Amino acid sequence: MSVTAPLGFRAAGVDAGIKSGVARDLALLVNDGPSRAAAGVFTANRVKAAPVLWSQQVLAGGRVHAVILNSGGANACTGPLGFQDTHATAEKVAEALAESAGEIAVCSTGLIGERLPMDALLGGVDLAVSQLARDGGLAAADAIRTTDTVSKISFKRGEGGYMVGGMAKGAGMLAPGLATMLCVITTDADLPAAQLDAVLRNVTRVTFDRLDADGCMSTNDTVLLLASGASGVVPDLGEFEQMVHAVCADLSRQLLVDAEGASKAIAIEVVGAVSEDDAVTVARAVSRSNLFKCAIHGEDPNWGRVLSAVGTTDAVFEVDRLNVAINGIWICRGGAAGDDRSKVDLSPRDVTITIDLSAGPHSATVHTTDLTAAYVLENSAYSS
Amino acid sequence: MSVTAPLGFRAAGVDAGIKSGVARDLALLVNDGPSRAAAGVFTANRVKAAPVLWSQQVLAGGRVHAVILNSGGANACTGPLGFQDTHATAEKVAEALAESAGEIAVCSTGLIGERLPMDALLGGVDLAVSQLARDGGLAAADAIRTTDTVSKISFKRGEGGYMVGGMAKGAGMLAPGLATMLCVITTDADLPAAQLDAVLRNVTRVTFDRLDADGCMSTNDTVLLLASGASGVVPDLGEFEQMVHAVCADLSRQLLVDAEGASKAIAIEVVGAVSEDDAVTVARAVSRSNLFKCAIHGEDPNWGRVLSAVGTTDAVFEVDRLNVAINGIWICRGGAAGDDRSKVDLSPRDVTITIDLSAGPHSATVHTTDLTAAYVLENSAYSS
């Protein structure tokens, strides 16, 4: 299932020997059409990995025939030679599929700053092509994992019988400008590239871009949306966007829950803002406060750390009109202590912080995690 | 010594019973003149504690007769009643000194969101007044500690015989808009308030404001500079600024080394920037990357995490002209792998990251710490 849930797609996930040990590390997804319409969004980081630079060019054409994705190396900060490696990968896939490299997107994830083992990778392409199958979606989702403890997949059926499917990876460097991740969404609906692009931008803005686990923006973030048109269904655009939103929200949630070392999934909901931008600004500031994230880890309803983060923003608010609830208990009212903090139950994994700016009608939610010793240990020991 | 190193100052530090257990928690510093010229800088956080709001008004007059400082409670987010508590504290000190409350500055530090135990605090004022002494500087520095493991003091003698002394507290919430802290600098030089103000702003901009341990800006940050004029020396202004700079840099370093849970003191030095602002922006972005800070904790020279943080800024640079050295080894050249990373020795406590933007002549350094499991443990267990 996953990316092969919709008609018209085949996938494979193989062990190419890019990563040490026995593990799948190369995924290939092929769109057999009849349509090849596609859209993509990429990291806002100015330091972009070679595959991002390549795939941006491919997506500018609005058509993707295949996506090749590797774990075990980000191919970021590798200079002109790294870009040649990406190009050679696309050419190799194109050759195996008797196609043009101009419609082959490339994604990589793993350590920054090292060249990919190209012999292994190019050999893996042949293996992946030989294993392409209609039920290859799970193997592909498995092959793009890095520190992910589980594969992330999702799919949903739309009105009239078309499907939307997706796979994603991401566990560290989860921050906006897309939570750090690779994600491929597929559909057998029939839509032109421009409409796919609009839908993808609308959806990622309120799903992956509202996920901020550790404030660190990756060099490799990529979300692709590929349409085969194989169902023959031309969906209502609004309904299609809802389907894509549902799949992306589901994958976002899976990324959050699997974030490195996290023990809490925290929703920071800002209401009463004069604009959605203000609401996002405030929510993001709180999501990036290490002190706040430590407090939630310790199950301490420390609303003072929420207010001190809110106070660092330029959002419209008056301090003496700020209200904060933790899991529904309004422990801060009018900028000072409110209901009894002992009423707050922080034992569940899911935590909701509600911040009422009392300034306007807009709202937004950013999802983050707690800061744990496990996060530190995982990221101080992480591959050198 | 500390704040009583210069002539004209008396201080005391007492156990007023504000904090639980046996520990000093109330400090009083009195300027016996003949001058009372003073300047102050305060947190840029829009959520300001009551003592900050009060002391800003006092400092607007350019004169301070005494400073009363308590640990055991920040008196932040306590509403109008909290402001009344600060006012009552100043009035109590004024009454004991037969003075006007308008020249009494107040500083508080501790948990946000709770009222201070005013009976204990006001009783402590009488005790502190009775213990005021020329050698009270150390007791005062001890009384303002929260999670600080040591008192932070410094002093320096200027040309012609005047002195500059200082004390500071700060261990968590160390971030700009002043590293979160209380700091009082004293001098027996004779300078008017306007000159003290200019010197203090110049100095804090490049010392405390370049310290960013955890990215969290406090509600209570206060740095005061008090001049008694008791030495009779009117110093050269440039030399005086150097003295104040030396004391503030020394105290900054002490704050950094004592930052909660830190095992490394990291200097992030950005060179080759088109402006000092650009250099600070880049250095600060790196100092706030949890992944980078975890890597240094793990003694992993992970320059990819440096570049991915640099890439999130709007500073002027070209990716393929970025160079990064860790402890003097240029492991990234031209945006890609440079010298052998195995040459980097990350075992010393002091770590220097040098980032060359290759874009201009300006530079700046921001000081930060690594991110450790000890930081998480300290801040998830911290007072509830």
Side-chain angles (χ1 to χ4, degrees), chain B residues 36-105:
Chain B
R36 291 182 182 177
V41 289
F42 301 91
T43 182
N45 200 313
R46 291 170 61 197
V47 178
K48 293 185 205 305
V52 168
L53 297 172
W54 171 267
S55 296
Q56 282 183 315
Q57 292 181 18
V58 171
L59 269 297
R63 287 167 59 90
V64 167
H65 180 221
V67 188
I68 181 89
L69 313 93
N70 74 275
S71 55
N75 197 7
C77 307
T78 45
L81 295 176
F83 191 80
Q84 285 178 26
D85 290 343
T86 289
H87 186 188
T89 304
E91 289 286 358
K92 174 74 180 176
V93 173
E95 179 191 314
L97 298 175
E99 268 294 340
S100 152
E103 295 186 8
I104 311 296

Side-chain angles (χ1 to χ4, degrees), chain A residues 44-48 76-79 111-114 172-174 214-219 260 288-295 297-305 307-319 322 334-337 341 371-373 375-384, chain B residues 44-48 76-79 111-114 172-174 214-219 260 288-295 297-305 307-319 322 334-337 341 371-373 375-384:
Chain A
N45 200 313
R46 290 170 60 198
V47 178
K48 295 185 204 304
C77 305
T78 45
L111 189 66
I112 299 173
E114 294 190 358
M173 269 203 171
L174 283 172
D214 61 7
C216 292
M217 189 196 293
S218 157
T219 52
E260 286 170 350
R288 291 189 172 180
S289 164
N290 280 350
L291 285 176
F292 161 73
K293 288 152 71 89
C294 284
H297 178 53
E299 303 190 349
D300 170 14
N302 196 323
W303 60 268
R305 293 180 180 176
L307 255 60
S308 66
V310 174
T312 64
T313 71
D314 60 1
V316 175
F317 67 83
E318 298 297 327
V319 176
L322 292 174
R341 47 176 289 145
L371 181 58
T372 69
Y375 173 89
V376 174
L377 297 176
E378 184 153 353
N379 285 297
S380 54
Y382 182 65
S383 147
S384 301
Chain B
N45 200 313
R46 291 170 61 197
V47 178
K48 293 185 205 305
C77 307
T78 45
L111 189 65
I112 299 174
E114 294 191 357
M173 268 202 171
L174 283 172
D214 60 7
C216 292
M217 190 196 294
S218 157
T219 52
E260 288 170 348
R288 292 191 172 178
S289 164
N290 281 350
L291 285 176
F292 162 74
K293 288 153 71 88
C294 284
H297 178 54
E299 302 189 350
D300 170 14
N302 196 322
W303 58 269
R305 293 181 182 176
L307 255 61
S308 66
V310 174
T312 64
T313 72
D314 59 1
V316 175
F317 67 85
E318 297 297 327
V319 175
L322 292 175
R341 47 176 289 145
L371 181 58
T372 69
Y375 173 88
V376 174
L377 297 178
E378 185 154 353
N379 285 296
S380 53
Y382 181 66
S383 151
S384 300

Side-chain angles (χ1 to χ4, degrees), chain B residues 241-291:
Chain B
E241 184 168 318
Q242 285 175 24
M243 293 298 112
V244 176
H245 183 279
V247 167
C248 289
D250 183 13
L251 290 170
S252 286
R253 169 77 189 174
Q254 293 179 48
L255 295 174
L256 185 73
V257 170
D258 196 32
E260 288 170 348
S263 71
K264 301 285 189 191
I266 308 170
I268 301 169
E269 176 185 47
V270 175
V271 302
V274 297
S275 67
E276 187 179 353
D277 280 354
D278 258 22
V280 171
T281 297
V282 168
R284 195 162 322 281
V286 176
S287 80
R288 292 191 172 178
S289 164
N290 281 350
L291 285 176

Side-chain angles (χ1 to χ4, degrees), chain B:
Chain B
M1 302 305 276
S2 88
V3 285
T4 48
L7 297 173
F9 292 93
R10 288 176 297 148
V14 301
D15 181 354
I18 303 167
K19 287 198 286 205
S20 59
V22 179
R24 292 187 179 109
D25 49 22
L26 189 67
L28 179 62
L29 172 68
V30 174
N31 179 356
D32 291 318
S35 170
R36 291 182 182 177
V41 289
F42 301 91
T43 182
N45 200 313
R46 291 170 61 197
V47 178
K48 293 185 205 305
V52 168
L53 297 172
W54 171 267
S55 296
Q56 282 183 315
Q57 292 181 18
V58 171
L59 269 297
R63 287 167 59 90
V64 167
H65 180 221
V67 188
I68 181 89
L69 313 93
N70 74 275
S71 55
N75 197 7
C77 307
T78 45
L81 295 176
F83 191 80
Q84 285 178 26
D85 290 343
T86 289
H87 186 188
T89 304
E91 289 286 358
K92 174 74 180 176
V93 173
E95 179 191 314
L97 298 175
E99 268 294 340
S100 152
E103 295 186 8
I104 311 296
V106 181
C107 301
S108 298
T109 178
L111 189 65
I112 299 174
E114 294 191 357
R115 298 278 301 281
L116 290 169
M118 288 305 292
D119 285 353
L121 200 158
L122 296 180
V125 169
D126 288 326
L127 183 62
V129 169
S130 72
Q131 297 194 8
L132 280 170
R134 277 290 295 143
D135 63 357
L138 291 179
D142 179 54
I144 61 175
R145 290 164 54 198
T146 53
T147 54
D148 306 69
T149 64
V150 293
S151 299
K152 284 93 175 181
I153 63 167
S154 184
F155 55 92
K156 205 160 174 68
R157 181 176 300 275
E159 292 285 325
Y162 74 93
M163 295 285 291
V164 176
M167 66 178 183
K169 70 78 49 179
M173 268 202 171
L174 283 172
L178 307 178
T180 295
M181 51 173 304
L182 303 181
C183 174
V184 183
I185 309 292
T186 54
T187 182
D188 48 18
D190 190 13
L191 289 163
Q195 292 189 350
L196 297 177
D197 186 71
V199 165
L200 188 61
R201 285 177 199 284
N202 286 347
V203 168
T204 54
R205 190 179 69 80
V206 294
T207 53
F208 298 120
D209 270 349
R210 299 273 168 94
L211 180 59
D212 194 337
D214 60 7
C216 292
M217 190 196 294
S218 157
T219 52
N220 288 59
D221 300 321
T222 302
V223 182
L224 302 177
L225 173 55
L226 278 53
S228 69
S231 71
V233 179
V234 178
D236 172 77
L237 203 61
E239 193 236 341
F240 178 71
E241 184 168 318
Q242 285 175 24
M243 293 298 112
V244 176
H245 183 279
V247 167
C248 289
D250 183 13
L251 290 170
S252 286
R253 169 77 189 174
Q254 293 179 48
L255 295 174
L256 185 73
V257 170
D258 196 32
E260 288 170 348
S263 71
K264 301 285 189 191
I266 308 170
I268 301 169
E269 176 185 47
V270 175
V271 302
V274 297
S275 67
E276 187 179 353
D277 280 354
D278 258 22
V280 171
T281 297
V282 168
R284 195 162 322 281
V286 176
S287 80
R288 292 191 172 178
S289 164
N290 281 350
L291 285 176
F292 162 74
K293 288 153 71 88
C294 284
I296 299 302
H297 178 54
E299 302 189 350
D300 170 14
N302 196 322
W303 58 269
R305 293 181 182 176
V306 175
L307 255 61
S308 66
V310 174
T312 64
T313 72
D314 59 1
V316 175
F317 67 85
E318 297 297 327
V319 175
D320 60 6
R321 297 189 66 198
L322 292 175
N323 306 307
V324 176
I326 301 185
N327 282 351
I329 307 298
W330 290 91
I331 52 174
C332 168
R333 293 177 186 273
D339 296 355
D340 186 352
R341 47 176 289 145
S342 68
K343 291 181 185 162
V344 178
D345 178 10
L346 275 170
S347 60
R349 182 183 180 104
D350 280 300
V351 173
T352 299
I353 310 293
T354 311
I355 301 161
D356 177 7
L357 299 180
S358 306
H362 295 278
S363 63
T365 301
V366 167
H367 298 271
T368 189
T369 57
D370 55 343
L371 181 58
T372 69
Y375 173 88
V376 174
L377 297 178
E378 185 154 353
N379 285 296
S380 53
Y382 181 66
S383 151
S384 300

